[in-house]
């Protein structure tokens, strides 16, 4: 009976608590740059989790080379490679990528350090992906995606409502 609780209920409880904490973090006020523009980033949880996954990948790689038998080395190397890639993506998404909100445009800095800018008067569509949990802001030739966990996401939503005249409900963003 106790094993069943640990196996079935504990993971769901942990996920619920983590998602609640991430949603609470997104309700906080965003950072501001030197010019007073709003700077939205994912909570620190993302890049810290990325560091942990990278460390796990390194540990698995060390285990594979020094302690695993020949049959398990390939599996360990493949698994550690996947962990390193996923960890690096989580780290860069949480540490490097951000969205800057100014009075005239939205600028996204991607995990690769590239920037995409969309002026408010050039926005052609705004949608919300229920599965991806991202607000997709499109112009004729660019798309910016803002995850719902971004710290200060309500500031972006308010600015989009102000500049485009579309309400949160019209975009499909849950309350």
């Amino acid at each position: 009976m106790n094993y069943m609780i640990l196996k079935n209920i504990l993971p769901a409880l942990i996920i619920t608590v983590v998602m609640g904490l991430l949603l609470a973090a997104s309700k906080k006020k965003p950072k501001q740059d030197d010019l007073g523009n709003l700077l939205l980033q994912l909570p620190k949880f993302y890049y810290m989790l990325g560091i942990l996954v990278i460390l796990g990948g390194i540990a698995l790689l060390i285990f594979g080379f020094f302690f695993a038998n020949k049959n398990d080395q390939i599996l360990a190397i493949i698994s550690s490679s996947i962990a390193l890639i996923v960890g690096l993506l989580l780290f860069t998404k949480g540490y490097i990528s951000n969205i800057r909100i100014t009075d005239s445009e939205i600028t996204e800095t991607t995990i690769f350090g590239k920037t995409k800018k969309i002026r408010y008067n050039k926005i052609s569509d705004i949608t919300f992906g229920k599965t991806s949990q991202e607000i997709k802001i499109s112009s004729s030739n660019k798309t910016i995606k803002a995850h719902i966990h971004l710290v200060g996401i309500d500031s972006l939503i308010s600015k989009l409502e102000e500049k485009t005249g579309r309400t949160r409900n019209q975009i499909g963003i849950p309350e």
Side-chain angles (χ1 to χ4, degrees):
M1 180 74 163
N2 287 337
Y3 177 71
M4 189 178 98
I5 290 172
L6 287 176
K7 183 180 174 189
N8 296 326
I9 297 173
L10 192 59
L13 183 64
I14 291 170
I15 290 170
T16 302
V17 168
V18 168
M19 288 299 133
L21 291 171
L22 289 172
L23 198 56
S26 72
K27 302 293 183 200
K28 293 181 180 177
K29 293 204 179 284
K31 295 178 185 176
Q32 289 189 352
D33 65 10
D34 297 337
L35 302 173
N37 299 316
L38 300 179
L39 190 64
L40 282 59
Q41 284 187 293
L42 288 170
K44 292 177 183 176
F45 172 80
Y46 278 86
Y47 73 82
M48 290 192 304
L49 180 62
I51 290 170
L52 287 174
V53 173
I54 289 169
L55 291 174
I58 292 169
L60 189 56
L61 191 62
I62 291 169
F63 171 79
F65 277 122
F66 295 110
F67 303 107
N69 62 38
K70 291 289 181 196
N71 293 337
D72 293 338
Q73 279 185 338
I74 294 173
L75 182 60
I77 291 169
I78 291 170
S79 298
S80 68
S81 298
I82 292 169
L84 290 170
I85 291 167
V86 169
L88 189 60
L89 289 173
L90 279 169
F91 177 79
T92 56
K93 188 72 175 163
Y95 193 75
I96 296 173
S97 70
N98 63 64
I99 292 185
R100 185 177 313 276
I101 304 170
T102 69
D103 284 334
S104 58
E105 65 190 15
I106 301 169
T107 305
E108 177 185 24
T109 302
T110 67
I111 61 174
F112 303 109
K114 294 184 179 181
T115 58
K116 294 189 264 183
K117 296 180 182 187
I118 298 180
R119 297 185 69 74
Y120 293 113
N121 61 357
K122 300 291 183 186
I123 293 174
S124 59
D125 193 26
I126 308 169
T127 56
F128 179 74
K130 289 184 172 106
T131 304
S132 67
Q133 296 289 292
E134 291 179 325
I135 301 168
K136 188 171 156 184
I137 306 158
S138 302
S139 70
S140 61
N141 60 349
K142 292 180 188 150
T143 300
I144 291 176
K145 293 180 181 179
H147 197 277
I148 203 74
H149 289 162
L150 286 169
V151 175
I153 192 69
D154 286 335
S155 301
L156 174 62
I157 295 167
S158 296
K159 187 62 92 168
L160 289 170
E161 287 177 325
E162 172 192 330
K163 296 291 187 174
T164 66
R166 294 184 63 193
T167 66
R168 183 182 193 117
N169 289 336
Q170 290 172 327
I171 297 170
I173 302 169
E175 292 293 329

